[in-house]
Amino acid sequence: MPATRTWLKNPLAIFTANELDARGGLVLQDGVIVELLGAGQQPARPCDKIFDAREHVILPGLINTHHHFYQTLTRAWAPVVNQPLFPWLKTLYPVWARLTPEKLALASKVALAELLLSGCTTAADHHYLFPQGLENAIDVQVQSVRELGMRAMLTRGSMSLGEADGGLPPQQTVQQGQVILDDSQRLIARYHERGAGAQIQIALAPCSPFSVTTEIMSASAELAEELDVRLHTHLAETLDEEDFCLQRFGLRTVDYLDSVGWLGPRTWLAHGIHFNPDEISRLGAAGTGICHCPSSNMRLASGICPTLELTAAGAPLGLGVDGSASNDASNMILETRQALYIQRLRYGAQAITPERVLGWATRGSAQLLGRSDIGELAVGKQADLALFKLDELRFSGSHDPISALLLCGADRADRVMIAGEWRVIDGQVEGLDLKGLIADHSQAARELIAAS
């Protein structure tokens, strides 16, 4: 039986994340894009289905390159609302240490559903908490991703440097190095998919310089090289972190990264705020990627990522919402808006356009994850799409549809497609009991805090 061909016809506007013309729409087949049509063009062959997109702005599916799904359980918690990173972490670690598989599953589904409704089709999560009873945390997350039908880069995080040894996390949240490496190998062998169209991928992600040993950093880099997977960690998020690295290792953050074998194109870093010009040059020359997390950086008063210097030096740049206890939302289209505004404060209005920032949220983010099959609209790319309507009050009077998404504050996609399948229709996640999920998740959040 011949494959179904679908024409998404004549969109109100379309952002391809490249220079290609697709004003006449897209033709999809077998979960991939097979034609881009210029204005007034017709498909080369008849299509079985036609979707009239005249009310929709079409984007490549947005790609979130840094998150902590579990943190949706501790949003807007009063004791940490006004704290910077280190005290924020030390107050929350004991709460997070009580995570259970059931609570993690609910937290992950909430984060993924919220991302999906915001036009996000691929998400990277950094999970580094494996207290007793939660040893199979990544397996729990895999199930949640599959239930929502999204793509994910699930990073096997780790903490091995507890308070007793000069680190930040409490002892009940740290693991021994060999346990971490053995589980990392198990997860890669079991879940990591390669090639175009991969749904689940695994990366190795020791948490941060202040929560892991140099031994686990070096061993993770060696294992990632051996098994050909990516590396992820937090770096240069705050000046406190820089001070910690100088005091403990006698090195600044990028020197430390280099000393443990991480300075290369396999690595992408969350935050990347406090770099000097030489460090930016070294990161660019190495092809090391940076995930800009504007909302979290503002929420914790950490600083502003030097995006244009990094990209000029050659460092790939993408966007991430970060954990939902330092952003308190998991919304990629709003995160893109935040990036537009905070980067304009640094570089001015003309340098930071809506198109540039949407490029970071799509093609740039795909590059961070080592993927060339998603993040832009072109023949042969995956049919991962986010469609937004501009029919709400907030958009009334707007003129340029692409700019309106960010300037007028779009926060919810009307439709989202992944691998050619609609996952969101009329602003609702297909097959998801959202009210039930909210009720169960809210109860789990209350229980987690009540035990503190």
Side-chain angles (χ1 to χ4, degrees):
M1 187 175 176
T4 300
R5 285 168 55 85
T6 301
W7 179 14
L8 304 186
K9 181 180 178 181
N10 296 336
L12 175 65
I14 188 165
F15 174 78
T16 57
N18 51 43
E19 301 302 316
L20 299 174
D21 180 10
R23 287 173 293 169
L26 308 169
V27 180
L28 317 173
Q29 184 176 318
D30 291 330
V32 299
I33 300 168
V34 294
E35 284 186 75
L36 267 63
L37 305 174
Q41 288 186 331
Q42 298 286 314
R45 301 203 325 269
C47 292
D48 308 282
K49 296 180 180 178
I50 296 176
F51 178 83
D52 185 347
R54 62 183 155 182
E55 295 183 353
H56 290 90
V57 180
I58 300 180
L59 309 179
L62 304 177
I63 300 170
N64 172 34
T65 58
H66 183 66
H67 205 156
H68 307 290
F69 294 164
Y70 74 88
Q71 290 184 13
T72 60
L73 292 162
T74 51
R75 300 200 240 218
W77 186 41
V80 295
V81 164
N82 302 315
Q83 289 185 333
L85 180 65
F86 274 23
W88 177 88
L89 279 170
K90 288 184 75 69
T91 307
L92 280 164
Y93 277 142
V95 178
W96 294 336
R98 292 190 298 274
L99 270 176
T100 64
E102 295 75 21
K103 286 181 171 61
L104 178 60
L106 287 166
S108 298
K109 284 183 73 172
V110 163
L112 288 161
E114 192 179 356
L115 287 167
L116 187 54
L117 287 167
S118 74
C120 177
T121 53
T122 300
D125 191 62
H126 189 182
H127 188 87
Y128 50 79
L129 281 164
F130 298 84
Q132 189 171 358
L134 197 61
E135 291 83 0
N136 291 331
I138 305 300
D139 305 77
V140 171
Q141 292 190 309
V142 167
Q143 183 59 34
S144 296
V145 172
R146 287 176 174 166
E147 286 180 35
L148 272 293
M150 294 177 70
R151 303 187 199 277
M153 173 74 82
L154 299 174
T155 73
R156 204 301 180 182
S158 54
M159 297 198 293
S160 60
L161 187 69
E163 286 177 315
D165 300 307
L168 226 62
Q171 290 304 122
Q172 70 266 36
T173 64
V174 302
Q175 290 182 301
Q176 295 300 309
Q178 197 56 50
V179 171
I180 293 165
L181 295 171
D182 288 347
D183 192 48
S184 297
Q185 291 189 68
R186 177 187 71 83
L187 291 165
I188 293 164
R190 182 167 183 183
Y191 296 118
H192 186 68
E193 300 172 21
R194 302 181 186 275
Q199 182 185 20
I200 304 284
Q201 294 190 313
I202 303 293
L204 305 185
C207 183
S208 60
F210 50 82
S211 59
V212 296
T213 61
T214 53
E215 290 79 11
I216 200 64
M217 287 290 285
S218 297
S220 294
E222 292 167 8
L223 186 61
E225 181 77 27
E226 177 190 340
L227 300 180
D228 190 24
V229 295
R230 298 186 81 73
L231 288 165
H232 183 52
T233 193
H234 299 91
L235 199 79
E237 182 177 359
T238 66
L239 292 173
D240 284 344
E241 179 192 327
E242 184 179 298
D243 291 343
F244 181 95
C245 286
L246 285 167
Q247 290 174 21
R248 186 171 183 90
F249 310 118
L251 300 168
R252 286 177 55 83
T253 52
V254 174
D255 291 324
Y256 172 71
L257 199 72
D258 198 6
S259 75
V260 290
W262 276 60
L263 196 59
R266 193 180 297 282
T267 299
W268 88 101
L269 307 169
H271 303 292
I273 296 170
H274 299 286
F275 297 131
N276 63 33
D278 175 65
E279 290 165 341
I280 289 172
S281 296
R282 290 166 65 194
L283 289 162
T288 299
I290 307 294
C291 171
H292 177 32
C293 303
S295 293
S296 174
N297 296 162
M298 288 186 274
R299 157 83 153 80
L300 297 172
S302 301
I304 304 175
C305 177
T307 55
L308 296 194
E309 286 91 342
L310 285 161
T311 54
L317 188 98
L319 297 184
V321 301
D322 198 13
S324 287
S326 65
N327 173 339
D328 305 274
S330 309
N331 189 307
M332 268 302 290
I333 192 68
L334 285 180
E335 198 65 30
T336 309
R337 183 183 202 236
Q338 293 281 53
L340 177 79
Y341 287 150
I342 195 172
Q343 291 299 320
R344 282 189 171 192
L345 280 180
R346 189 179 184 108
Y347 298 109
Q350 292 182 318
I352 307 295
T353 64
E355 290 80 5
R356 176 174 230 156
V357 178
L358 284 166
W360 293 342
T362 53
R363 192 172 182 175
S365 283
Q367 193 176 356
L368 291 196
L369 302 186
R371 297 195 65 155
S372 59
D373 60 328
I374 57 176
E376 59 180 309
L377 306 182
V379 171
K381 305 295 182 183
Q382 295 294 306
D384 291 6
L385 309 169
L387 283 68
F388 293 84
K389 280 188 171 182
L390 304 182
D391 57 357
E392 295 177 64
L393 186 62
R394 76 185 72 188
F395 300 110
S396 183
S398 64
H399 299 276
D400 174 41
I402 299 293
S403 298
L405 288 179
L406 302 187
L407 299 181
C408 301
D411 64 357
R412 190 159 180 155
D414 180 63
R415 282 182 172 247
V416 179
M417 174 181 282
I418 302 174
E421 299 287 335
W422 292 117
R423 297 295 179 181
V424 173
I425 297 178
D426 298 332
Q428 303 297 320
V429 178
E430 286 289 276
L432 180 66
D433 175 10
L434 193 58
K435 285 186 177 179
L437 177 59
I438 291 170
D440 292 344
H441 178 264
S442 298
Q443 177 63 27
R446 286 191 294 270
E447 291 172 358
L448 195 65
I449 294 301
S452 62

